[in-house]
Amino acid sequence: MRHTITLIPGDGIGPEVTQAAVRVVEATGVKVDWEQMEAGTEVMTKYGTPVPDEVVNSILRNRVALKGPIATPIGGGFASANVALRKRLNLYANVRPARSLKGIHTPFPSVNLVVIRENSEDLYSGLEHIVVPGVVESLKIITEAACLRIGRFAFQYAVKHGRKKVTAVHKANIMKLADGLFLECMRRTHREYPGIEYEEMIVDNTCQQLVMRPERFDVMVMENLYGDIISDLCAGLIGGLGLTPSANIGETGVAMFEAVHGSAPDIAGRNLANPIALILSAAMMLAHIGEDQAAYRIERAVEKVLEAGEVRTGDLGGNATTTEMTEAIIAAL
Ligand code: NAI
């Protein structure tokens, strides 16, 4: 069977790491017709939008995309293309697994958790305005519908992947209404899944527990902003952004897979980026389209290369290039 998949190289190290992921997918023997689409900073300069309609239409048509990072200007300039893509495609669930990898030495050898981040609302609604000069209001939007939707996704994910516990992360002691609604929805959803253990934890304590005893966590579900921050913390626990994959899943099965890291302008275009995060995202993508065997083989090949420890990119303390790491993974397949 052949698959048509939208490919967005993106900015900075994006083209280098997407190229690496494409090579690894092709080495598994899975037949893919890549529909390459341009989005990002250069496209913004050319077309006045970082995400032209044809990119969105391609993903809607193919239902699956593999995406490199897209840069977002800080404090001004155009709004995030990543947020725009997630919104326009209604990719409401962001799934970020973090698992300790053999060969990567960290103080945390037994992390095996998944962060499920609500992707569509919260402070990411971008609703900000200046009330009077010197006073800014930024709106946090939380709805029952989105909370129930992400709650159900988290519990279903736990059931499907044989996981035991869901932890709802919140700050309902302060945001009694907004995070209170989130918690109420999580409790209601839990009643539909009595076989899964459920607990609640305040976000600041969660950070502390994550760096003290990360092995106590299984599936974690949270609003958008907490998810953004906590998932990077979790990436740090297992060895950094160069190793952490993610998926953005929509209601109708549309899905976009990308690394957690950004465009890394400091190392872009120098063949220095670690391609593993995007290669593992591609493995998640293959599992999503029913190519489980190929997905499994990629994960094992990455583990084998890391365990052998001979080929390491700069972020992992070595001096291998992106190409060398890619070729080592292909050889290990
Ligand atoms: P970043 O993730 O691009 O870089 C942070 C640090 O990690 C840098 O030192 C970088 O060299 C290193 N790094 C990141 N990925 C790496 C890899 N694969 N291999 C080796 N080292 C790696 O984060 P930063 O600097 O905060 O953001 C840069 C740009 O990326 C911004 O414009 C930001 O908006 C965008 N961004 C895009 C994301 C996306 O498209 N999903 C996600 C996060 C940031």
Side-chain angles (χ1 to χ4, degrees):
M1 183 183 173
R2 293 191 79 85
H3 306 273
T4 307
I5 295 175
T6 304
L7 181 73
I8 304 171
D11 295 319
I13 59 170
E16 297 161 73
V17 291
T18 45
Q19 188 51 35
V22 164
R23 284 186 66 192
V24 172
V25 169
E26 283 175 357
T28 65
V30 174
K31 301 274 176 276
V32 177
D33 294 318
W34 301 99
E35 199 168 279
Q36 188 161 323
M37 289 284 140
E38 304 304 327
T41 311
E42 273 183 37
V43 178
M44 175 71 201
T45 326
K46 265 195 253 166
Y47 302 109
T49 167
V51 186
D53 284 347
E54 60 169 351
V55 180
V56 175
N57 293 337
S58 165
I59 301 174
L60 286 173
R61 195 168 52 242
N62 300 327
R63 316 198 64 70
V64 184
L66 184 64
K67 172 186 160 294
I70 297 180
T72 310
I74 293 174
F78 63 87
S80 165
N82 300 305
V83 175
L85 265 173
R86 289 170 202 156
K87 274 193 181 151
R88 289 185 66 184
L89 297 163
N90 204 5
L91 302 172
Y92 71 95
N94 187 212
V95 182
R96 297 189 177 192
R99 188 164 58 86
S100 302
L101 293 156
K102 285 198 191 112
I104 299 293
H105 300 293
T106 73
F108 311 105
S110 41
V111 178
N112 185 2
L113 58 85
V114 182
V115 174
I116 310 280
R117 165 186 172 192
E118 205 291 321
N119 234 357
S120 72
E121 54 181 25
D122 192 2
L123 279 159
Y124 289 68
S125 54
L127 295 172
E128 292 190 317
H129 58 264
I130 296 167
V131 181
V132 291
V135 182
V136 169
E137 202 167 58
S138 187
L139 300 180
K140 167 164 170 155
I141 309 289
I142 298 295
T143 65
E144 183 184 41
C147 291
L148 287 174
R149 185 171 64 169
I150 198 69
R152 227 162 260 143
F153 183 94
F155 280 98
Q156 276 168 7
Y157 183 96
V159 171
K160 189 170 167 206
H161 293 85
R163 290 186 172 264
K164 305 270 179 288
K165 182 170 73 175
V166 170
T167 305
V169 178
H170 67 95
K171 189 79 185 173
N173 50 334
I174 303 297
M175 278 157 281
K176 294 178 194 296
L177 287 181
D179 288 16
L181 174 60
F182 172 79
L183 276 190
E184 189 210 313
C185 292
M186 294 307 120
R187 288 172 197 164
R188 270 163 64 191
T189 313
H190 176 229
R191 280 186 224 123
E192 296 166 28
Y193 298 87
I196 302 288
E197 196 187 325
Y198 171 72
E199 66 174 0
E200 294 167 358
M201 196 176 284
I202 294 176
V203 63
D204 36 348
N205 179 31
T206 306
C207 292
Q208 187 242 175
Q209 297 273 346
L210 272 167
V211 295
M212 299 288 284
R213 290 198 304 137
E215 64 283 352
R216 71 176 300 296
F217 292 98
D218 195 349
V219 175
M220 305 170 78
V221 61
M222 59 203 79
E223 293 163 12
N224 210 340
L225 180 62
Y226 308 145
D228 194 2
I229 298 166
I230 296 251
S231 57
D232 267 31
L233 192 162
C234 294
L237 294 177
I238 61 150
L241 291 172
L243 298 169
T244 320
S246 84
N248 298 284
I249 312 277
E251 253 171 0
T252 52
V254 173
M256 189 172 79
F257 297 81
E258 62 182 331
V260 170
H261 62 72
S263 58
D266 50 338
I267 55 167
R270 293 161 58 198
N271 203 16
L272 293 177
N274 185 352
I276 288 180
L278 199 70
I279 288 171
L280 290 177
S281 306
M284 286 177 84
M285 178 190 77
L286 290 174
H288 178 81
I289 59 173
E291 299 283 0
D292 299 87
Q293 186 68 19
Y296 177 76
R297 284 178 58 217
I298 292 178
E299 283 167 8
R300 282 297 307 131
V302 167
E303 281 171 20
K304 221 163 141 184
V305 170
L306 291 175
E307 228 174 313
E310 281 159 21
V311 182
R312 285 177 190 273
T313 42
D315 60 315
L316 303 179
N319 52 20
T321 62
T322 311
T323 314
E324 283 162 350
M325 178 59 98
T326 309
E327 280 166 3
I329 292 168
I330 290 171
L333 273 171

